[in-house]
Amino acid sequence: MKLHCYKCSKPVSTEVPDSTIVRAVLECPECIEKEPEGGFRYLDCSTGHVTKSDMELLDVHGMDNATDTMPMMSAVYPEGAWVGTMHTLEEDELKAEENNLRKLEFSEAFLKVLAFARGKDCKYVCLDCDAKIYDELKVFDW
């Protein structure tokens, strides 16, 4: 017998003995790559990858205190913040908005987190004190 994706029914395994008991939900790579209808992809990322100043700036310039100079959506909560990755911007617009963030004194590490998330096709980053730490990103102890 072969095991199949629960969404599209494509086979996701080689032959498995019929006597094998499998208790799992399986999904093929193509279905994993698709965003859920009405949903979005986000990066769960430790607040340790940004500076304390970045988190303070998100609080100052967040949705409740939005300014014309803040190029992205952000919503702060006690353990972190949701931040838009500016994924819809063209390259020249993105560079301009990154420069606006630099003028607001966001760190290069913060910009790298956004770029890392965009590289994974994420529309948002959930910066959370208990979230994943990535080897590819700098870590701050604050």
Side-chain angles (χ1 to χ4, degrees):
M1 104 173 130
K2 285 190 176 187
L3 304 176
H4 295 82
C5 173
Y6 84 100
K7 289 184 177 176
C8 70
S9 300
K10 289 181 185 173
V12 293
S13 74
T14 56
E15 285 297 321
V16 177
D18 286 336
S19 60
T20 303
I21 298 172
V22 178
R23 292 187 181 139
V25 174
L26 302 172
E27 203 169 350
C28 71
E30 292 82 12
C31 287
I32 289 172
E33 292 300 315
K34 294 177 186 172
E35 287 185 1
E37 187 175 331
F40 58 86
R41 185 182 307 271
Y42 73 94
L43 180 74
D44 196 32
C45 185
S46 173
T47 52
H49 288 306
V50 298
T51 66
K52 184 176 181 182
S53 176
D54 292 327
M55 293 305 295
E56 291 167 351
L57 286 166
L58 286 172
D59 195 29
V60 169
H61 297 287
M63 283 175 48
D64 292 337
N65 303 305
T67 64
D68 290 339
T69 56
M70 185 65 165
M72 73 213 165
M73 183 288 296
S74 67
V76 177
Y77 62 97
E79 295 82 21
W82 281 88
V83 182
T85 63
M86 302 183 290
H87 68 283
T88 60
L89 299 180
E90 297 295 328
E91 192 64 31
D92 57 333
E93 295 173 307
L94 182 60
K95 287 184 190 294
E97 294 302 353
E98 286 175 338
N99 285 333
N100 284 342
L101 290 172
R102 287 182 183 98
K103 288 175 188 172
L104 292 171
E105 299 185 357
F106 281 92
S107 71
E108 289 301 313
F110 179 78
L111 296 176
K112 286 183 181 176
V113 167
L114 296 181
F116 183 70
R118 281 192 308 274
K120 296 184 173 295
D121 292 327
C122 295
K123 294 180 180 178
Y124 298 93
V125 175
C126 179
L127 292 167
D128 190 274
C129 63
D130 294 322
K132 182 175 173 69
I133 293 178
Y134 294 90
D135 292 336
E136 300 93 324
L137 299 170
K138 188 173 181 176
V139 177
F140 298 90
D141 185 22
W142 51 275

